[in-house]
Amino acid sequence: MSGLAGIGLERLSLNQATVKYLGLKDVVALCARHEIPAIGLWRDRVAEIGLSSAAAAVRGAGLYVSSLCRGGFFTRADADGRLAAAADNRAALTEAASLGADALVLVCGGLVPGSRDLGLARRMVADAIGDLVPEAQRLGVRLGIEALHPMFCADRSVIASLGEAIDLALTFPADAVGVVVDTYHVWWDARLADEIARASGRIVGYQVCDWVLPLPADPLLGRGHVGDGVIDFGPISAAVTAAGYDGFVEVEIFNAAVWAAPADQTAATVRERFAAVLGGGPVDRNAPRL
Amino acid sequence: MSGLAGIGLERLSLNQATVKYLGLKDVVALCARHEIPAIGLWRDRVAEIGLSSAAAAVRGAGLYVSSLCRGGFFTRADADGRLAAAADNRAALTEAASLGADALVLVCGGLVPGSRDLGLARRMVADAIGDLVPEAQRLGVRLGIEALHPMFCADRSVIASLGEAIDLALTFPADAVGVVVDTYHVWWDARLADEIARASGRIVGYQVCDWVLPLPADPLLGRGHVGDGVIDFGPISAAVTAAGYDGFVEVEIFNAAVWAAPADQTAATVRERFAAVLGGGPVDRNAPRL
């Protein structure tokens, strides 16, 4: 049975992108109402109310901050752009530290505008992460390289497989750089179990949502509630656990229908599915709703 | 410069899916008009005029058949379905032999209906290919395992990276099973050069088209003419050549706008771009039309 990895609700984190239309304080209140112990924050929603108000709100509610989304987008064509990206990422690290976030999630950026050179883009990512390492260490925040699905390679992240993210992370100190495993982006990989094992000690975040068919017109929004799609969460969760990750597990869903639903309904579904699918409950994992 | 791999027009093959709305005899005539020496055929278009007429048409025009598309779709839920798939693939091998095709391209199939078990689907693919090996050897046709882009893993091919396709091919005799490298499906892979090198002697087909942004509503149709997108064809072509592949290079484009264009215009563009981008001509590879 897939669900037997057994990740309990005490490790559930709600990434606020799942309830896209709520401001930060409303998501904090939502988590409190639904006994969700942790939250993944987004910088735009933090900025909206100010960093100290945001930090106070999550602390006041006793919420743990599992991640701050997001840094990255390092692949700029000109030196000014790269300097601006570096400054923005240092600011993100400061915010992550103030918020007490476990990790700053990095979406590294696609091809350099005007170029088809994947190698160039990847070297630019590696250099930019290297430049951030001292600041990450000083602040005690880990950078989490997130491999995005290969369908986003051109325009969002040239780091397009978990193996590649790990190769990159391993070139930096473990207290500064790790990887974020997101089921949506990596579930298809025949080498996934081996790669996760190789990431032992380097996993700084685990995000879950499902791959639903058909893909929508906007491929960014093809994510579903856990259990609504084809991903077999059991083996992935078991591998992540075996690799030593015992932190929070973020549910992060980009989906227009989920966003349109009442937030309390979404939060209830998130909890229910998390318990049933990740917690090892008695859900029939062989009857996907495709 | 990317184009310096230098694959000449004498190695150009037009996959007939690029001019989807033409019947087989019209595509044969199109190739003759545009001095395209080879063709990739599709079984439905062969069936439409009958196998012997199709074989006579391509031979009469002096066209080489670089591949027959396609076999595969092995992942069926029930034994009857798997038997039907096996019979259909044996028929496809017979057709490929009659047409003198270099290879039968295999699109292996997605998850087994009603199941989320990637391992099960992959074992089913391996078993089914193994069962076809003796017939492929008897007929002298090679099975070409095509790794599809990971965005098609759920519904079209659980073989979702070139490395995985090679791992699978290497378990069978080289005269029976190889891999098809399609730029659209594998361009994003950080390990691509190494994987292509590992495929030495096993590459039975090389297909090209470009990755254009944004992805269209139907992700099957997001392919562009060579040069219209972000793929750097030079390094991939050089790696394929270094791995010993000296066969035809098929241009295969699924794109509604390309299909709607006059076929002669499409054929002319295919030739032009092939010469400029793959042939090493003086095209400005740093100015993508995105």
Side-chain angles (χ1 to χ4, degrees), chain A residues 111 114 116 118 122 149-151 153-154 163-164 167 187-188 190-191 195 198 211 227 229-232 285-286 288, chain B residues 111 114 116 118 122 149-151 153-154 163-164 167 187-188 190-191 195 198 211 227 229-232 285-286 288:
Chain A
L111 288 166
R116 294 182 176 91
L118 274 169
R122 286 168 174 151
H149 193 283
M151 71 183 167
C153 183
E164 187 187 355
D167 288 344
W187 71 277
W188 53 270
R191 296 173 182 169
E195 298 295 359
R198 207 159 63 84
W211 181 276
V230 301
I231 295 178
D232 196 1
R285 299 284 298 146
N286 286 317
Chain B
L111 289 165
R116 293 183 177 91
L118 274 168
R122 286 168 173 151
H149 193 283
M151 71 183 168
C153 183
E164 186 186 355
D167 287 345
W187 72 277
W188 54 269
R191 296 174 182 168
E195 297 295 358
R198 207 160 61 87
W211 180 276
V230 301
I231 296 178
D232 196 3
R285 298 286 296 146
N286 286 318

